[in-house]
Amino acid sequence: METVVSGIRSTGKLHLGNYYGAVQNFVKMQHEYNCFFFIADFHSLTTHPIPKDLHGNVKQVLVEYLACGIDPEKATIYVQSDVPEVTELYLYLNMNAYMGELERSTSFKDKIRDQPDNVNAGLLTYPVLMAADIIIHKATKVPVGKDQEQHLEMSRTFGNRFNRLYQVDYFPEAYAFNYSTNLVKIPGLTGKGKMGKSEGEGNAVFLSDSPEEIRKKVMRAVTDGGPLEMNQIKPDVIQNLFSLLSVVSSVDTYTHFDDLYNNCQIRYGDLKKQLAEDMIIATAPVRDRINDIASNSEYLRKVSKMGAEKARESASKTIKEVREIIGFKSF
């Protein structure tokens, strides 16, 4: 079996974008690949969460991974900080990562623009830690979106550089992977790009949101004054609503509202009400499981411990071999 590795930063609750863009595929992958799905709490330290929030966010993602259908008996689910071998490999890779290439990273440029008062070394070396996450398990497939492809390319660079430096064929190359050639991109409700937490909670529908919260968020979604002529092209804010409709609603529902729009008869209030109800139905099974799993502390401890043991077994083997290749020897 080929190895798949992917992680989600522990910065809060999972939303529809996480689910349809990533986690839904994780559930399929676990039956066909050797999967490592981790909660990236080391990565979250670049934004300096307080201890209580850090632990709570890790728990939230673990609960929601399980609620979405990731099976700890089939896939290895673990918390990044439970595998210290990752930080050791991160150190080794950092020794051969160069300032120039790290400073050219698109994500680093974005971060220093967005948070000029918090340009820490962790942001600069973020791609190195991501590379360590991937190659410590010798993954060959990484389910990522377009925005992460540069990081994945850098992970290949660091692995290949290690191989050349020590004249070995040790780390394989990992490539982007998805079941579909067209990655699912879930737009946000504010009309500004994809769904995410950075635009504020009103931009995202979380898997744990109550029906009332979902209705309130969707009804506040940005719209316009309506079409002025038959079959006119939908502006982005309206296309966003139809894109969401295409994911959570039936084909008949989508066609119904599309026809109304094309005939200049659309009532956005009706569309939003339908969209909200369909989102509630789509998230109901996950939401119910979230509530059940979150209250089962013993089960969460068991899953976390089992995942850490399986991940460390893989990671410690890699570190042992990397140390030998580099030349570390005991006296």
Side-chain angles (χ1 to χ4, degrees):
M1 274 193 187
E2 286 187 271
T3 296
V4 170
V5 168
S6 190
I8 292 181
R9 290 179 74 216
S10 54
T11 54
K13 299 175 283 188
L14 301 184
H15 52 68
L16 290 181
N18 299 133
Y19 182 68
Y20 288 107
V23 180
Q24 202 174 49
N25 274 338
F26 294 176
V27 175
K28 296 179 186 175
M29 291 171 193
Q30 67 184 344
H31 301 290
E32 300 173 30
Y33 298 95
N34 177 32
C35 292
F36 291 87
F37 299 130
F38 67 95
I39 300 161
D41 55 343
F42 281 146
H43 285 287
S44 72
L45 295 180
T46 58
T47 54
H48 312 309
I50 63 173
K52 178 172 66 71
D53 288 347
L54 176 63
H55 179 71
N57 288 340
V58 168
K59 178 183 177 182
Q60 186 76 29
V61 178
L62 176 59
V63 167
E64 293 181 1
Y65 263 169
L66 296 167
C68 288
I70 299 178
D71 185 346
E73 298 290 341
K74 298 185 183 299
T76 301
I77 309 173
Y78 66 98
V79 179
Q80 188 183 29
S81 60
D82 283 341
V83 185
E85 290 83 0
V86 170
T87 57
E88 186 173 345
L89 183 57
Y90 173 45
L91 171 70
Y92 300 150
L93 296 179
N94 263 327
M95 298 303 180
N96 300 301
Y98 302 111
M99 284 285 290
E101 64 189 346
L102 295 174
E103 288 173 337
R104 288 193 296 273
S105 165
T106 302
S107 66
F108 180 65
K109 291 177 183 177
D110 291 343
K111 290 296 184 184
I112 61 176
R113 185 174 59 248
D114 295 341
Q115 51 187 74
D117 297 328
N118 181 28
V119 184
N120 55 67
L123 290 175
L124 181 68
T125 59
Y126 193 99
V128 187
L129 181 54
M130 182 174 171
D133 290 322
I134 295 167
I135 67 178
I136 200 159
H137 300 300
K138 295 189 173 181
T140 54
K141 295 184 182 296
V142 182
V144 294
K146 283 282 183 188
D147 58 335
Q148 292 290 322
E149 284 188 349
Q150 186 184 37
H151 283 168
L152 190 52
E153 182 181 346
M154 293 175 82
S155 79
R156 292 192 292 270
T157 296
F158 300 140
N160 288 333
R161 188 174 292 158
F162 179 93
N163 290 346
R164 287 195 304 273
L165 182 63
Y166 296 106
Q167 299 181 345
V168 292
D169 183 19
Y170 186 71
F171 288 119
E173 293 188 330
Y175 288 91
F177 164 64
N178 223 292
Y179 278 104
S180 170
T181 52
N182 298 315
L183 295 178
V184 177
K185 294 180 181 178
I186 305 297
L189 296 173
T190 60
K192 298 178 181 178
K194 68 179 184 179
M195 186 171 287
K197 295 181 278 283
S198 59
E199 293 290 339
E201 289 223 344
N203 186 51
V205 173
F206 298 106
L207 300 180
S208 58
D209 279 348
S210 68
E212 293 73 22
E213 288 171 318
I214 293 174
R215 292 186 186 104
K216 188 180 296 183
K217 288 180 178 180
V218 174
M219 294 309 291
R220 288 176 178 169
V222 179
T223 55
D224 63 8
L228 300 176
E229 56 186 60
M230 304 270 283
N231 300 310
Q232 77 174 47
I233 296 174
K234 299 180 182 75
D236 288 345
V237 291
I238 303 306
Q239 184 56 55
N240 283 354
L241 293 178
F242 276 90
S243 295
L244 290 167
L245 208 63
S246 70
V247 172
V248 299
S249 305
S250 68
V251 174
D252 288 345
T253 297
Y254 181 93
T255 302
H256 170 71
F257 286 105
D258 193 44
D259 288 344
L260 289 174
Y261 185 89
N262 290 331
N263 289 298
C264 298
Q265 296 175 329
I266 189 78
R267 289 159 53 99
Y268 291 134
D270 293 341
L271 185 153
K272 289 185 193 179
K273 286 176 184 175
Q274 183 66 53
L275 177 59
E277 295 311 309
D278 289 344
M279 281 183 176
I280 291 165
I281 292 169
T283 56
V286 175
R287 184 166 50 252
D288 292 343
R289 287 195 293 271
I290 286 172
N291 295 333
D292 290 341
I293 295 169
S295 62
N296 192 341
S297 299
E298 184 59 36
Y299 176 61
L300 291 174
R301 272 194 294 272
K302 178 183 174 184
V303 169
S304 176
K305 184 173 183 290
M306 181 170 65
E309 289 172 353
K310 289 163 69 177
R312 289 202 71 180
E313 182 180 357
S314 168
S316 60
K317 180 176 183 296
T318 298
I319 287 299
K320 179 176 181 293
E321 292 168 352
V322 164
R323 280 173 156 263
E324 290 171 357
I325 290 168
I326 292 174
F328 291 114
K329 294 182 181 178
S330 300
F331 287 95

